[in-house]
Amino acid sequence: MEIAKHTTKRDQQAEERRGQLIDVALELFSEKGWENTSIKDLAEAGGVAPGLFYHYFENKEDLLLAVFERHGFKAELEKVVFPAYERPASEVLLEVARAYFKLLDRKHRLVRIFVREAMTNPNLEERWIEQCNDTVNLLARYLAARVAAGELRPHNTQMSARMLTHPIVMLHLTGGSADELESLVQCLMEGINN
Amino acid sequence: MEIAKHTTKRDQQAEERRGQLIDVALELFSEKGWENTSIKDLAEAGGVAPGLFYHYFENKEDLLLAVFERHGFKAELEKVVFPAYERPASEVLLEVARAYFKLLDRKHRLVRIFVREAMTNPNLEERWIEQCNDTVNLLARYLAARVAAGELRPHNTQMSARMLTHPIVMLHLTGGSADELESLVQCLMEGINN
Amino acid sequence: MEIAKHTTKRDQQAEERRGQLIDVALELFSEKGWENTSIKDLAEAGGVAPGLFYHYFENKEDLLLAVFERHGFKAELEKVVFPAYERPASEVLLEVARAYFKLLDRKHRLVRIFVREAMTNPNLEERWIEQCNDTVNLLARYLAARVAAGELRPHNTQMSARMLTHPIVMLHLTGGSADELESLVQCLMEGINN
Amino acid sequence: MEIAKHTTKRDQQAEERRGQLIDVALELFSEKGWENTSIKDLAEAGGVAPGLFYHYFENKEDLLLAVFERHGFKAELEKVVFPAYERPASEVLLEVARAYFKLLDRKHRLVRIFVREAMTNPNLEERWIEQCNDTVNLLARYLAARVAAGELRPHNTQMSARMLTHPIVMLHLTGGSADELESLVQCLMEGINN
DNA sequence: GATGAATGAGCCTTCATTCAT
DNA sequence: AATGAATGAAGGCTCATTCAT
């Protein structure tokens, strides 16, 4: 006699369908960009009627937002950083740098859409800033731990975290290579002063 | 056989008109973005007929390229960096950082269009990478000079230049404040190692 | 063999539900017009699923018809006219005019939907003509009674009834004021000839 | 050497084209109603591209407005009323009534669109009220003249004008016949009082 | 009875671009 | 050089209606 099960079969199916539509969108957006992907394209690729998208999403923009909602980088980076808290920065930073760079590479096209639309769409801009800050903070906390551990000298760890992650993003965006990451970490550790 | 003798009066006028159209475009693109500015908008703002744009530019994309052709940052930065070759990095870097940040701020909306379209348009991407590299190289050469002068220790100055400029770009893009630049420079100079 | 014995409880509930849906429709149609009210809107406002409407009504037009089925003006006007049969037209006509005008005002938005859709939809046109004629006839019969009573001179009472009601409808539709009704009645009574 | 002739050939052609598009619209709107006529329909019927409509009209609504701009009834009625100023109302009113009725009949479908959209669209409502008032005023002035001439007794001629025109409109809208107009005029002249 | 996922045709509108004048 | 009328494809979105559950 349970009238309101917590998730009915139908709800499940609906949720699955929603997920499927997002996946289709991720695919096409990555290939052709957000603006160059029409709802009709999406519908065809998903094997559904165009109208259905408006059953699950308010907007084409809403759909874009939903795509990013499911594809944050934070979780993936945490997997690299969290286990490293006890290990020295001299080792860890290079690993993190490489992992981050590789992550960006893997999500290459999605990143570009993200950045692109963030330049224009306030909602997306907010998320993109959040995303960047999350990454910075994740690393900053680790660095602070290493300061506390006496490995690093006391300093503004927020900024040093930026000095690692921001160049990586820009390197990725401007076609730089992963080989340069060693220099990056070394410079960060030692500074350039004589 | 000289078809193009010297610059005729007519050529001058044509060049002026072209420049004027670019200025109008700069204005509107900055306000509303490239994609949201129609040729008709431009024509109205410029007080000319829509068709005229196609005398001076191949198409709308060409116009966008022409806009950036005239508005590189390089020259402005050079004015700050060149006179500083003899002065110590400890002073100069902060000045440069601030100047760069301020420059980005001044051209705020144009930068966003630039980045945005670069994510999508190969031609623009090329220019945006160039632009970034120009900035990096400009600074790298100065840093190399300071290494040679014995102020800085020998290192990969390309990378240290990146570590100054890239965080600034990202800071600007993610709403950071100019107040953080001191930490940036200090970290770069001293490193974070104990 | 009695399939429809008497009204079962279930029938009652169904009828109630039907009535409730009509009320919701009346509300929304009045607010936004028939064409601008979607089944989804109605469903939301009524707290039911869209599909349910198709259990109670053939289609959206049918629903519109059902709305007017329940909201004729005749009954309301009869209440004013019937008790007046013995009283003189010189008094009664002004009362009726005012009552009618007020009635239209009260149902302002519904009247507009009615008129609007009648211009296009033959079914509705029929009802609207009926409605108008009912009103005219109601009044015409009263006037005939007053002719019989010797108060009014013999004439085409159908037409005089029109000359009272039609200007009122038009007055209402074109933003006229109730203050003009006195002139209307006086003109009707006395004529304009010298 | 006239640079700005008052109307160039091109302007003329443009104006003609505009007129042609309005004519097409009048045709189709009359046949199928405004809302049921798509821009595509109009374009096909006019042998032009859909986009061209937006060169000449802001909107689909604007187009509707333009249609009515060109098809007011006032001028036609004036032709009947103006020459009659010196003639007695006893003759003229019936002529006018018949002319008005015939006019409405001739523009039958257009009138319905007009009324229909006026119920919903504030801009059109305004014009429809104007139109009605123009007709009323035109007649009211004539009646006032006949009062001055001593033919009619002094009275509110605005209202008597309404009492002629409004029933005619309603008669037309509710399927009445022209035969009833005599009664109408007679009632108006003589009144119904004994 | 009731739900709500799914359909799919259709609409208004925009806009880069062309071309006769 | 300059105009602006004309094109026509494409796009986001709405919505009455159906039907499996």
Side-chain angles (χ1 to χ4, degrees):
Chain A
M1 280 304 257
E2 296 178 34
I3 290 184
K5 298 169 197 168
H6 282 299
T7 37
T8 68
K9 199 169 169 188
R10 222 178 172 184
D11 286 343
Q12 266 180 49
Q13 284 182 346
E15 198 49 49
E16 268 174 40
R17 182 48 73 94
R18 199 185 132 95
Q20 174 208 340
L21 296 184
I22 292 180
D23 287 348
V24 168
L26 170 59
E27 186 79 15
L28 292 205
F29 287 171
S30 293
E31 265 175 38
K32 327 190 323 183
W34 178 67
E35 303 206 76
N36 294 318
T37 305
S38 72
I39 296 290
K40 222 171 200 168
D41 291 342
L42 293 166
E44 272 167 25
V48 299
L52 190 56
F53 275 85
Y54 294 87
H55 193 64
Y56 289 101
F57 309 95
E58 290 272 313
N59 261 347
K60 205 183 156 192
E61 186 195 319
D62 188 36
L63 175 56
L64 180 59
L65 254 44
V67 168
F68 289 119
E69 202 120 304
R70 306 241 167 162
H71 291 87
F73 303 160
K74 206 181 167 186
E76 299 212 30
L77 272 190
E78 284 178 345
K79 278 188 224 152
V80 179
V81 177
F82 281 167
Y85 263 68
E86 306 299 327
R87 297 170 48 219
S90 53
E91 291 173 13
V92 167
L93 289 188
L94 189 56
E95 286 172 22
V96 169
R98 283 177 173 151
Y100 192 33
F101 195 89
K102 200 186 283 179
L103 178 59
L104 290 171
D105 246 23
R106 187 146 38 83
K107 306 213 171 184
H108 181 257
R109 288 176 308 190
L110 190 62
V111 169
R112 314 219 129 201
I113 302 168
F114 200 174
V115 174
R116 176 177 162 86
E117 302 308 329
M119 296 299 102
T120 274
N121 178 323
N123 285 322
L124 265 176
E125 186 186 26
E126 207 177 320
R127 311 234 175 159
W128 134 268
I129 294 180
E130 248 175 64
Q131 190 94 231
C132 288
N133 288 344
D134 281 354
T135 311
V136 166
N137 291 332
L138 175 66
L139 199 58
R141 277 195 296 277
Y142 163 77
L143 291 169
R146 297 316 298 166
V147 169
E151 183 196 356
L152 304 180
R153 67 176 180 77
H155 70 285
N156 180 343
T157 57
Q158 268 264 342
M159 185 49 78
S160 53
R162 282 182 190 283
M163 290 174 70
L164 191 74
T165 60
H166 287 346
I168 291 175
V169 171
M170 291 294 289
L171 226 39
H172 169 255
L173 248 32
T174 59
S177 134
D179 301 339
E180 315 188 44
L181 296 178
E182 269 182 59
S183 294
L184 173 61
V185 171
Q186 206 214 344
C187 253
L188 181 58
M189 290 295 283
E190 308 301 334
I192 62 179
N193 215 356
N194 214 353
Chain B
M1 279 296 267
E2 294 180 36
I3 289 183
K5 311 153 190 183
H6 32 46
T7 323
T8 68
K9 199 171 174 183
R10 212 162 175 182
D11 286 342
Q12 267 180 47
Q13 285 183 344
E15 201 47 49
E16 268 176 40
R17 178 52 71 94
R18 201 184 129 95
Q20 174 208 336
L21 295 183
I22 291 179
D23 286 349
V24 168
L26 169 60
E27 186 80 15
L28 291 204
F29 288 170
S30 293
E31 265 175 38
K32 329 192 316 184
W34 178 67
E35 302 206 76
N36 293 319
T37 305
S38 71
I39 297 288
K40 213 173 193 177
D41 290 340
L42 293 165
E44 270 167 28
V48 298
L52 191 56
F53 274 83
Y54 293 85
H55 273 291
Y56 292 101
F57 309 94
E58 287 277 311
N59 47 36
K60 208 184 156 191
E61 187 195 319
D62 188 35
L63 175 56
L64 180 59
L65 287 161
V67 167
F68 288 119
E69 203 121 305
R70 306 239 167 165
H71 291 87
F73 301 161
K74 206 180 165 186
E76 298 214 29
L77 273 191
E78 283 177 344
K79 278 188 225 150
V80 180
V81 177
F82 282 166
Y85 263 68
E86 308 299 326
R87 298 171 48 220
S90 53
E91 289 174 14
V92 168
L93 288 188
L94 190 57
E95 287 173 21
V96 169
R98 282 177 173 150
Y100 192 34
F101 195 90
K102 200 185 281 181
L103 178 59
L104 290 171
D105 247 21
R106 187 143 41 82
K107 305 213 171 183
H108 181 258
R109 287 177 306 196
L110 192 63
V111 169
R112 316 217 128 202
I113 301 167
F114 200 176
V115 174
R116 175 176 164 88
E117 302 307 331
M119 296 297 102
T120 272
N121 178 323
N123 285 322
L124 263 176
E125 185 185 27
E126 207 179 321
R127 312 239 172 151
W128 134 268
I129 294 180
E130 249 174 63
Q131 190 95 231
C132 288
N133 288 343
D134 281 354
T135 311
V136 166
N137 291 332
L138 174 67
L139 199 58
R141 279 195 296 277
Y142 163 76
L143 290 169
R146 298 314 298 165
V147 169
E151 181 196 358
L152 303 180
R153 67 176 179 77
H155 70 284
N156 180 343
T157 56
Q158 268 265 343
M159 184 49 78
S160 52
R162 281 184 191 282
M163 289 174 70
L164 191 74
T165 59
H166 289 345
I168 291 175
V169 171
M170 291 294 289
L171 227 38
H172 169 255
L173 249 32
T174 60
S177 135
D179 301 340
E180 316 187 45
L181 297 177
E182 270 182 58
S183 292
L184 174 62
V185 171
Q186 205 212 344
C187 254
L188 181 59
M189 291 294 282
E190 308 300 336
I192 62 179
N193 216 354
N194 213 353
Chain C
M1 281 294 269
E2 293 180 38
I3 289 183
K5 312 155 193 181
H6 32 46
T7 324
T8 68
K9 200 171 176 184
R10 213 163 174 181
D11 286 342
Q12 266 181 47
Q13 284 183 345
E15 201 46 49
E16 267 176 40
R17 178 54 71 96
R18 200 184 129 96
Q20 174 207 336
L21 295 184
I22 291 180
D23 286 348
V24 168
L26 170 59
E27 186 81 15
L28 292 204
F29 288 169
S30 293
E31 264 175 40
K32 329 191 319 184
W34 178 68
E35 303 207 77
N36 294 319
T37 306
S38 71
I39 297 288
K40 214 175 193 176
D41 290 341
L42 293 166
E44 270 167 27
V48 298
L52 190 56
F53 274 83
Y54 292 85
H55 273 290
Y56 291 101
F57 309 95
E58 286 278 311
N59 47 36
K60 208 183 156 192
E61 187 195 319
D62 188 37
L63 175 56
L64 181 59
L65 286 162
V67 168
F68 288 120
E69 202 119 308
R70 306 239 167 165
H71 290 86
F73 302 161
K74 205 181 166 187
E76 298 213 32
L77 272 190
E78 284 176 344
K79 278 188 227 152
V80 180
V81 177
F82 281 167
Y85 263 67
E86 306 300 325
R87 296 170 49 220
S90 53
E91 289 174 15
V92 169
L93 289 188
L94 190 56
E95 287 173 21
V96 170
R98 282 176 173 151
Y100 192 34
F101 195 90
K102 200 186 282 180
L103 179 59
L104 290 171
D105 246 22
R106 187 145 38 83
K107 305 213 170 183
H108 182 258
R109 286 178 307 195
L110 192 63
V111 169
R112 314 216 130 203
I113 301 167
F114 199 177
V115 175
R116 176 177 163 87
E117 302 307 331
M119 296 297 102
T120 274
N121 178 323
N123 286 322
L124 263 176
E125 186 185 27
E126 206 178 321
R127 312 237 173 154
W128 134 267
I129 294 182
E130 250 174 62
Q131 190 94 233
C132 288
N133 287 344
D134 282 353
T135 311
V136 166
N137 291 332
L138 175 66
L139 199 58
R141 277 194 297 277
Y142 164 77
L143 290 170
R146 297 316 296 165
V147 169
E151 182 196 357
L152 304 180
R153 68 176 178 77
H155 70 284
N156 181 341
T157 57
Q158 268 266 343
M159 185 49 77
S160 53
R162 283 184 190 283
M163 290 174 71
L164 191 73
T165 58
H166 288 346
I168 292 176
V169 172
M170 291 295 289
L171 226 39
H172 170 256
L173 250 31
T174 60
S177 134
D179 300 341
E180 315 188 46
L181 297 178
E182 269 181 59
S183 293
L184 174 61
V185 171
Q186 205 213 345
C187 254
L188 182 58
M189 290 295 282
E190 308 299 335
I192 62 180
N193 216 353
N194 214 352
Chain D
M1 278 303 257
E2 295 177 35
I3 289 183
K5 299 169 197 164
H6 281 298
T7 35
T8 68
K9 198 171 170 186
R10 224 181 173 183
D11 286 343
Q12 266 180 48
Q13 284 181 346
E15 199 47 50
E16 268 175 39
R17 181 49 71 96
R18 199 186 130 95
Q20 175 209 339
L21 295 185
I22 291 180
D23 287 348
V24 168
L26 170 58
E27 186 79 16
L28 292 204
F29 288 171
S30 292
E31 264 175 39
K32 326 191 321 183
W34 180 67
E35 302 205 78
N36 294 317
T37 305
S38 72
I39 297 290
K40 221 173 199 168
D41 290 342
L42 292 166
E44 271 166 26
V48 299
L52 190 55
F53 275 84
Y54 294 85
H55 193 64
Y56 289 101
F57 309 95
E58 290 273 314
N59 261 346
K60 205 185 156 189
E61 186 195 319
D62 189 35
L63 175 56
L64 180 59
L65 254 44
V67 168
F68 289 118
E69 203 120 305
R70 303 242 169 161
H71 291 87
F73 303 160
K74 205 181 168 186
E76 298 213 29
L77 273 189
E78 283 176 344
K79 278 187 224 152
V80 179
V81 176
F82 281 168
Y85 262 69
E86 306 299 327
R87 297 171 47 221
S90 54
E91 291 172 17
V92 168
L93 290 188
L94 189 56
E95 287 172 22
V96 169
R98 284 178 173 149
Y100 192 32
F101 195 89
K102 201 185 283 180
L103 178 58
L104 291 171
D105 246 21
R106 189 147 35 84
K107 306 213 171 182
H108 181 257
R109 288 177 307 192
L110 190 63
V111 170
R112 315 218 128 202
I113 303 167
F114 199 174
V115 174
R116 176 177 163 87
E117 302 308 328
M119 296 298 101
T120 275
N121 177 322
N123 285 321
L124 264 177
E125 186 186 24
E126 206 178 322
R127 309 234 177 157
W128 135 267
I129 293 181
E130 248 175 64
Q131 191 93 231
C132 289
N133 288 343
D134 281 354
T135 310
V136 166
N137 291 331
L138 175 66
L139 199 57
R141 276 195 297 277
Y142 164 75
L143 292 169
R146 297 317 297 166
V147 169
E151 183 197 356
L152 303 180
R153 67 176 180 78
H155 71 284
N156 180 343
T157 57
Q158 268 265 344
M159 185 49 78
S160 52
R162 281 183 191 283
M163 289 174 71
L164 191 73
T165 58
H166 288 345
I168 291 174
V169 172
M170 291 295 288
L171 226 38
H172 169 255
L173 249 33
T174 59
S177 132
D179 301 340
E180 317 187 43
L181 297 178
E182 270 182 58
S183 293
L184 173 61
V185 170
Q186 206 214 343
C187 254
L188 182 58
M189 290 295 282
E190 308 301 336
I192 62 178
N193 215 353
N194 215 352

